[in-house]
Amino acid sequence: MSGLDEVVRPECGSMRKLLRVAPDAVDLAAVDPRSTPGLPAAAGAGKERKGWARKQVELLGAELGRQQEMLYSAATGAAGPEAPASAPSQADAHLNGGRPRRVLLVLQAMDCGGKDGTIKRVAGAMNPLGLHIRSFGPPTEEELRHDFLWRIRRALPPPGYVGIFNRSHYEDVLVARVESLVDEATWRARYDLINDFERELTGSSVTLVKVMLHISYAEQGERLMERLTDPTKYWKYNPSDLDSRARWDDYQAAYADALARCGTDAAPWFVVPADRKWYRDWAVAHLLGETFDALDLGYPPADFDVERERQRLRGEDERVKVNGG
């Protein structure tokens, strides 16, 4: 088994190509939730693959952290990292054609699908300073007074940040559809609204990484039982989880339609087999890494005279030395 101290690339070369969903025809039943596509021979066999993948995620985390730092540094400057897209900093103008970049990872899954675990494992290596993590539950009364994208827009990451959505606007064509929270005409119209919204985002320098963590019915059952058996996990359990589980086939159909109708070249969907947690983390880490690589990030140049500052520093050190300070 190799790759214990260096990142080993996927066997397929690109996880983005391997896991991308083909639009217009999605068959989730054809995706084995326990499969490990792209896993290289270096991972070994049997149980040793888990340890290998965990180590690889640590190594990938270091690289993700470096890339995230470059993304963040490019959006800082006189205007600060919270600056709106219409007011890019000098450094960002040099790197990104005047438009501060943002990366948004959208995670969707059935209950117990592993969204929290993925965030903990994959985003854990990044600097919290440049992370923007948001979770979406049932809409509040205030949110219900607005269109379904209102709360999503308010949660978008600032320029220079990596945003992570634990659930997202897709709940409004999943839960809203299956649980009949709105009429059919309403949820059907939302596919086009979502595509327009995501087109708007990608046109304003937001890079979307949309991931469905695909688990099996059996695996979900085991994870739910674990939550009901371990007192330290009671807080993760909600009786409504069983109600959703009873509508499994309906949810799978809703996911298939959302993936098919809202997968575009600018904002594709990726399906990650997620029964094996170690593979899930390894695959998502590579998806993010390849996304960063495609952005061709770099550190911004100094907006001051570097040599002059060096001379000032040397002069100050010499003054302190002479004065015995």
Side-chain angles (χ1 to χ4, degrees):
M1 183 171 60
S2 61
L4 294 178
D5 55 4
E6 62 181 14
V7 173
V8 178
R9 298 302 171 189
E11 194 172 64
C12 59
S14 171
M15 295 298 285
R16 287 181 62 87
K17 291 182 179 179
L18 181 65
L19 299 178
R20 178 174 175 174
V21 172
D24 301 325
V26 177
D27 182 9
L28 286 174
V31 180
D32 181 358
R34 291 191 62 78
S35 63
T36 58
L39 195 71
K47 294 182 178 180
E48 64 183 6
R49 296 182 301 171
K50 179 178 180 179
W52 181 90
R54 293 292 194 212
K55 178 61 178 178
Q56 283 287 297
V57 170
E58 291 179 12
L59 296 172
L60 283 163
E63 175 59 20
L64 291 177
R66 187 180 72 86
Q67 296 271 23
Q68 177 212 15
E69 184 179 69
M70 288 191 288
L71 180 76
Y72 183 82
S73 68
T76 59
E82 298 289 342
S86 58
S89 69
Q90 178 182 349
D92 189 76
H94 172 79
L95 288 175
N96 300 311
R99 295 185 299 176
R101 294 224 61 93
R102 291 173 278 178
V103 173
L104 176 58
L105 172 63
V106 173
L107 293 175
Q108 286 288 158
M110 295 290 290
D111 295 323
C112 299
K115 299 180 298 297
D116 291 341
T118 301
I119 294 171
K120 180 179 179 180
R121 294 277 188 176
V122 177
M126 297 186 196
N127 189 336
L129 183 66
L131 279 177
H132 187 83
I133 302 173
R134 294 292 183 269
S135 296
F136 295 95
T140 64
E141 290 186 8
E142 179 185 16
E143 290 167 347
L144 286 171
R145 290 196 291 268
H146 299 269
D147 72 272
F148 76 103
L149 291 172
W150 181 78
R151 64 174 181 166
I152 305 300
R153 290 182 183 278
R154 289 165 55 88
L156 290 172
Y161 279 69
V162 174
I164 302 177
F165 281 178
N166 183 336
R167 300 187 187 273
S168 67
H169 42 297
Y170 283 94
E171 293 295 286
D172 290 283
V173 290
L174 295 170
V175 176
R177 166 180 168 170
V178 175
E179 304 300 335
S180 300
L181 302 182
V182 295
D183 59 68
E184 181 174 347
T186 297
W187 61 255
R188 283 194 179 279
R190 287 175 175 172
Y191 295 124
D192 288 337
L193 294 173
I194 287 173
N195 285 335
D196 289 342
F197 172 61
E198 293 181 349
R199 191 178 303 114
E200 174 190 333
L201 291 182
T202 57
S204 60
S205 296
V206 177
T207 299
L208 284 166
V209 186
K210 302 187 301 188
V211 176
M212 180 201 176
L213 304 175
H214 183 42
I215 64 168
S216 64
Y217 183 82
E219 179 66 19
Q220 186 196 54
E222 291 181 12
R223 294 182 187 182
L224 285 171
M225 185 57 73
E226 183 180 4
R227 292 181 180 184
L228 288 169
T229 304
D230 184 349
T232 67
K233 296 185 177 181
Y234 287 167
W235 65 275
K236 291 185 175 183
Y237 183 80
N238 189 316
S240 66
D241 293 344
L242 288 186
D243 298 327
S244 297
R245 180 171 168 80
R247 306 289 301 275
W248 181 272
D249 290 342
D250 294 332
Y251 271 104
Q252 293 298 293
Y255 264 106
D257 281 350
L259 297 177
R261 299 191 61 172
C262 297
T264 64
D265 287 340
W269 269 106
F270 304 98
V271 173
V272 172
D275 273 14
R276 303 179 193 270
K277 298 176 183 179
W278 54 267
Y279 173 80
R280 172 201 73 199
D281 299 338
W282 177 84
V284 174
H286 272 291
L287 285 173
L288 265 182
E290 291 173 14
T291 299
F292 278 132
D293 289 341
L295 295 179
D296 194 23
L297 298 169
Y299 289 101
D303 58 359
F304 53 84
D305 187 329
V306 176
E307 185 54 37
R308 180 174 180 274
E309 295 305 304
R310 288 174 181 163
Q311 292 176 4
R312 288 182 62 203
L313 178 59
R314 294 190 189 104
E316 180 63 17
D317 288 349
E318 186 62 27
R319 184 191 66 78
V320 171
K321 181 178 180 181
V322 170
N323 293 333

